[in-house]
Amino acid sequence: MTCRNEQVNRDGFLLFGICCLAVWSHPFLDWLNTYGIRLLMPFSDQWFYGDVLFIIDPWMWLILASGVVLARSSSRPSQLAWGLLGLVATILVTSSERVPPAASWFWVAGIAGILGLRFSNRFRNRSRTLSRLSLALSGLYLVLMISGSHLTSVHLSTYFEEQEVKIESERTQNGWIVWLKDLRYVDPGHRGNHQGIGQVVVELDRELNPVRVR
């Protein structure tokens, strides 16, 4: 009886630790996306952005859901629920005009791969292995996205410097207006109100959040 109580206590502490990790890691995961997070609230409303993941990242869905589906779909109701969720997600991904055809096919191939592994029963009763594999793949994906974001930022900075792109701004009653110009095509003194060759006009609010692009 004592050994059983000790096991229950260990399991309880382990569950508590997992819950704490989930809560503490949430702000970090929010920081990774393009929306950002205000970490210093209520003392400051400053936004912090990781600019690594989009708010809705279907590839993270595939990576993390694969382990859960393979480990937690033994009963008919769970199989039906996961199948319905996969169908809805597939419709959302493949029907969006913003998703390239190649990405849609990659998503469908990922769903088919998960279904194939599920019905092959190769990973049955191997929840721990599946969870570790999913976490490792998601970590690798984050590293690749962070590297890609950094390389893109460096490339754009270099491009702007080489192409002589100039940034001009003007404070307004509601915020700011910023002109992005390529001086090969636009006169430095020109401040048109519309987008043209070599120029983009961006309206920002007082918190420097984009409101409109012209």
Side-chain angles (χ1 to χ4, degrees), residues 11 50 54 57 65-66 85 99 102 114-116 131 133-134 143 178 205:
D11 293 342
F54 186 57
D57 193 305
S66 60
L85 181 60
V99 179
I114 295 175
L115 291 176
S131 62
L133 181 60
S134 295
V143 170
V178 179
D205 60 18

Side-chain angles (χ1 to χ4, degrees), residues 18-99:
I18 293 175
C19 293
C20 290
L21 179 61
V23 173
W24 294 336
S25 62
H26 196 142
F28 170 73
L29 296 175
D30 280 346
W31 170 80
L32 288 174
N33 63 43
T34 55
Y35 184 77
I37 185 174
R38 291 186 283 189
L39 292 172
L40 303 180
M41 289 289 289
F43 307 103
S44 173
D45 58 358
Q46 180 181 355
W47 286 90
F48 297 88
Y49 309 87
D51 287 334
V52 175
L53 300 175
F54 186 57
I55 300 174
I56 301 175
D57 193 305
W59 314 125
M60 287 295 289
W61 290 358
L62 276 180
I63 294 172
L64 296 177
S66 60
V68 180
V69 171
L70 294 174
R72 301 297 180 186
S73 59
S74 57
S75 64
R76 289 293 182 183
S78 63
Q79 293 173 10
L80 180 62
W82 282 116
L84 181 61
L85 181 60
L87 177 61
V88 172
T90 299
I91 294 174
L92 291 175
V93 171
T94 57
S95 62
S96 175
E97 297 180 354
R98 297 185 177 182
V99 179

Side-chain angles (χ1 to χ4, degrees), residues 163-175:
Q163 302 300 323
E164 296 182 340
V165 175
K166 183 177 181 181
I167 298 180
E168 296 181 0
S169 62
E170 178 180 298
R171 191 174 186 87
T172 64
Q173 183 178 359
N174 298 321

Side-chain angles (χ1 to χ4, degrees), residues 57-211:
D57 193 305
W59 314 125
M60 287 295 289
W61 290 358
L62 276 180
I63 294 172
L64 296 177
S66 60
V68 180
V69 171
L70 294 174
R72 301 297 180 186
S73 59
S74 57
S75 64
R76 289 293 182 183
S78 63
Q79 293 173 10
L80 180 62
W82 282 116
L84 181 61
L85 181 60
L87 177 61
V88 172
T90 299
I91 294 174
L92 291 175
V93 171
T94 57
S95 62
S96 175
E97 297 180 354
R98 297 185 177 182
V99 179
S104 297
W105 283 110
F106 187 83
W107 170 269
V108 173
I111 294 293
I114 295 175
L115 291 176
L117 291 174
R118 169 61 187 84
F119 290 109
S120 68
N121 290 324
R122 294 184 59 184
F123 290 92
R124 189 174 183 180
N125 299 324
R126 301 180 64 180
S127 301
R128 183 171 298 182
T129 301
L130 291 173
S131 62
R132 290 175 177 174
L133 181 60
S134 295
L135 288 176
L137 290 176
S138 61
L140 176 61
Y141 178 73
L142 287 178
V143 170
L144 293 176
M145 292 299 292
I146 292 173
S147 301
S149 178
H150 176 71
L151 291 175
T152 301
S153 178
V154 173
H155 175 74
L156 288 177
S157 298
T158 303
Y159 174 80
F160 286 153
E161 292 176 359
E162 292 178 351
Q163 302 300 323
E164 296 182 340
V165 175
K166 183 177 181 181
I167 298 180
E168 296 181 0
S169 62
E170 178 180 298
R171 191 174 186 87
T172 64
Q173 183 178 359
N174 298 321
W176 295 83
I177 296 180
V178 179
W179 288 266
L180 302 179
K181 303 179 181 180
D182 189 330
L183 299 184
R184 295 175 301 170
Y185 306 104
V186 181
D187 187 338
H190 175 71
R191 290 193 173 184
N193 293 324
H194 301 284
Q195 178 179 356
I197 298 178
Q199 175 175 282
V200 174
V201 183
V202 182
E203 295 181 11
L204 306 174
D205 60 18
R206 295 179 180 178
E207 304 298 327
L208 302 182
N209 298 310
V211 175

Side-chain angles (χ1 to χ4, degrees), residues 1-10:
M1 189 70 178
T2 303
C3 294
R4 184 176 181 180
N5 291 334
E6 292 178 354
Q7 181 64 36
V8 170
N9 290 334
R10 284 196 297 268

